[in-house]
Amino acid sequence: MSGTSSPLRYKQIEHTGDIGIQIFGKTLHDLFINAAFGMFEIITDLGDIEKDTSEIIEVAGDGVEELLVNWLSELNYLFVTENKVFNRFVITRYKDFELTATVRGATIDPSRHPVNTEIKAVTYHELYVKELKNRWEAQVIFDI
């Protein structure tokens, strides 16, 4: 999570049999980036991840909630199928519920990066994305 000198990115929430995060962002871009950090920090410690791999992610949805689920699902798919974790996210395009981002991270080495929790799926259960006065907030529950 973030330290005391920067705004809170996300916080983990307990959910029966699953785990979730409540995500915060000044902008919608920040919200999507912070959601990705939150998910990967559940999976493993991102502290010593080298940025030696890069991917371009393109996802779309019928609304902002579906777009958030598709974004996290695509990132989780790369972890599950290719053992890739990411700790740098740059959204290069967001328009009409379509998102393109460049993500950087590494293929994890289990001897150096133990997997704390494996996420089976990003769910729609209790999902929300909302704009408040001067920030965004969302909640995502992961099936573990």
Short mmCIF file of all heavy atoms in Angstrom, two decimals, residues 7 24-28 30 130-137:
data_model
loop_
_atom_site.label_atom_id
_atom_site.label_comp_id
_atom_site.label_asym_id
_atom_site.label_seq_id
_atom_site.Cartn_x
_atom_site.Cartn_y
_atom_site.Cartn_z
N PRO A 7 -1.26 9.65 -1.18
CA PRO A 7 -2.65 9.23 -0.97
C PRO A 7 -2.79 7.71 -0.99
O PRO A 7 -2.03 7.01 -1.64
CB PRO A 7 -3.41 9.86 -2.14
CG PRO A 7 -2.43 10.56 -2.99
CD PRO A 7 -1.07 10.40 -2.40
N PHE A 24 -8.85 3.57 -4.78
CA PHE A 24 -9.05 5.01 -4.79
C PHE A 24 -8.16 5.63 -5.86
O PHE A 24 -7.07 5.14 -6.13
CB PHE A 24 -8.68 5.60 -3.42
CG PHE A 24 -9.31 4.87 -2.28
CD1 PHE A 24 -8.60 3.91 -1.57
CD2 PHE A 24 -10.63 5.11 -1.92
CE1 PHE A 24 -9.18 3.20 -0.53
CE2 PHE A 24 -11.23 4.40 -0.88
CZ PHE A 24 -10.50 3.45 -0.19
N GLY A 25 -8.64 6.70 -6.46
CA GLY A 25 -7.83 7.40 -7.45
C GLY A 25 -8.34 8.80 -7.67
O GLY A 25 -9.55 9.05 -7.60
N LYS A 26 -7.42 9.71 -7.92
CA LYS A 26 -7.79 11.08 -8.23
C LYS A 26 -8.49 11.16 -9.58
O LYS A 26 -9.40 11.94 -9.78
CB LYS A 26 -6.54 11.96 -8.22
CG LYS A 26 -6.79 13.40 -8.02
CD LYS A 26 -5.50 14.15 -7.78
CE LYS A 26 -5.83 15.53 -7.26
NZ LYS A 26 -4.65 16.29 -6.92
N THR A 27 -8.03 10.30 -10.52
CA THR A 27 -8.63 10.24 -11.85
C THR A 27 -9.01 8.78 -12.13
O THR A 27 -8.60 7.87 -11.41
CB THR A 27 -7.63 10.70 -12.93
OG1 THR A 27 -6.55 9.76 -12.97
CG2 THR A 27 -7.11 12.09 -12.66
N LEU A 28 -9.73 8.57 -13.20
CA LEU A 28 -10.08 7.21 -13.60
C LEU A 28 -8.82 6.43 -13.98
O LEU A 28 -8.71 5.24 -13.66
CB LEU A 28 -11.08 7.25 -14.76
CG LEU A 28 -11.92 6.01 -15.00
CD1 LEU A 28 -12.62 5.52 -13.75
CD2 LEU A 28 -12.93 6.25 -16.11
N ASP A 30 -5.85 6.81 -12.63
CA ASP A 30 -5.26 6.42 -11.35
C ASP A 30 -5.98 5.22 -10.75
O ASP A 30 -5.35 4.31 -10.21
CB ASP A 30 -5.34 7.57 -10.33
CG ASP A 30 -4.46 8.76 -10.67
OD1 ASP A 30 -3.52 8.60 -11.47
OD2 ASP A 30 -4.72 9.85 -10.13
N LYS A 130 -17.37 4.35 -8.79
CA LYS A 130 -18.16 5.58 -8.70
C LYS A 130 -17.25 6.79 -8.60
O LYS A 130 -16.14 6.72 -8.07
CB LYS A 130 -19.12 5.51 -7.52
CG LYS A 130 -18.50 5.30 -6.16
CD LYS A 130 -19.58 5.11 -5.11
CE LYS A 130 -18.99 4.71 -3.77
NZ LYS A 130 -20.01 4.39 -2.78
N GLU A 131 -17.76 7.88 -9.14
CA GLU A 131 -17.06 9.16 -9.07
C GLU A 131 -17.65 9.93 -7.92
O GLU A 131 -18.87 10.12 -7.83
CB GLU A 131 -17.23 9.92 -10.39
CG GLU A 131 -16.43 11.19 -10.43
CD GLU A 131 -16.52 11.91 -11.76
OE1 GLU A 131 -17.40 11.57 -12.58
OE2 GLU A 131 -15.70 12.82 -11.99
N LEU A 132 -16.78 10.36 -7.02
CA LEU A 132 -17.20 11.18 -5.89
C LEU A 132 -16.86 12.63 -6.20
O LEU A 132 -16.56 12.96 -7.35
CB LEU A 132 -16.53 10.66 -4.61
CG LEU A 132 -16.79 9.17 -4.34
CD1 LEU A 132 -15.91 8.66 -3.21
CD2 LEU A 132 -18.25 8.93 -4.04
N LYS A 133 -16.87 13.51 -5.22
CA LYS A 133 -16.65 14.93 -5.49
C LYS A 133 -15.38 15.20 -6.29
O LYS A 133 -15.41 15.86 -7.31
CB LYS A 133 -16.63 15.72 -4.19
CG LYS A 133 -17.99 15.92 -3.60
CD LYS A 133 -17.94 16.81 -2.40
CE LYS A 133 -19.34 17.02 -1.85
NZ LYS A 133 -19.36 17.92 -0.72
N ASN A 134 -14.25 14.74 -5.83
CA ASN A 134 -12.99 15.04 -6.52
C ASN A 134 -12.09 13.82 -6.61
O ASN A 134 -10.87 13.94 -6.65
CB ASN A 134 -12.25 16.19 -5.82
CG ASN A 134 -11.96 15.86 -4.36
OD1 ASN A 134 -12.41 14.85 -3.83
ND2 ASN A 134 -11.20 16.72 -3.71
N ARG A 135 -12.70 12.62 -6.64
CA ARG A 135 -11.91 11.40 -6.74
C ARG A 135 -12.82 10.26 -7.20
O ARG A 135 -14.03 10.40 -7.28
CB ARG A 135 -11.25 11.05 -5.42
CG ARG A 135 -12.23 10.70 -4.31
CD ARG A 135 -11.51 10.42 -2.98
NE ARG A 135 -12.47 10.21 -1.93
CZ ARG A 135 -12.95 9.03 -1.56
NH1 ARG A 135 -12.54 7.94 -2.15
NH2 ARG A 135 -13.82 8.93 -0.59
N TRP A 136 -12.18 9.13 -7.50
CA TRP A 136 -12.89 7.93 -7.90
C TRP A 136 -12.69 6.87 -6.84
O TRP A 136 -11.67 6.84 -6.16
CB TRP A 136 -12.34 7.43 -9.24
CG TRP A 136 -12.75 8.28 -10.40
CD1 TRP A 136 -12.17 9.42 -10.84
CD2 TRP A 136 -13.85 8.03 -11.27
NE1 TRP A 136 -12.83 9.91 -11.94
CE2 TRP A 136 -13.88 9.06 -12.22
CE3 TRP A 136 -14.83 7.03 -11.34
CZ2 TRP A 136 -14.82 9.14 -13.23
CZ3 TRP A 136 -15.77 7.10 -12.35
CH2 TRP A 136 -15.76 8.15 -13.28
N GLU A 137 -13.65 5.97 -6.75
CA GLU A 137 -13.57 4.85 -5.82
C GLU A 137 -14.18 3.63 -6.49
O GLU A 137 -15.12 3.74 -7.26
CB GLU A 137 -14.33 5.17 -4.54
CG GLU A 137 -14.25 4.10 -3.49
CD GLU A 137 -15.01 4.47 -2.22
OE1 GLU A 137 -14.74 5.53 -1.64
OE2 GLU A 137 -15.90 3.68 -1.85
#
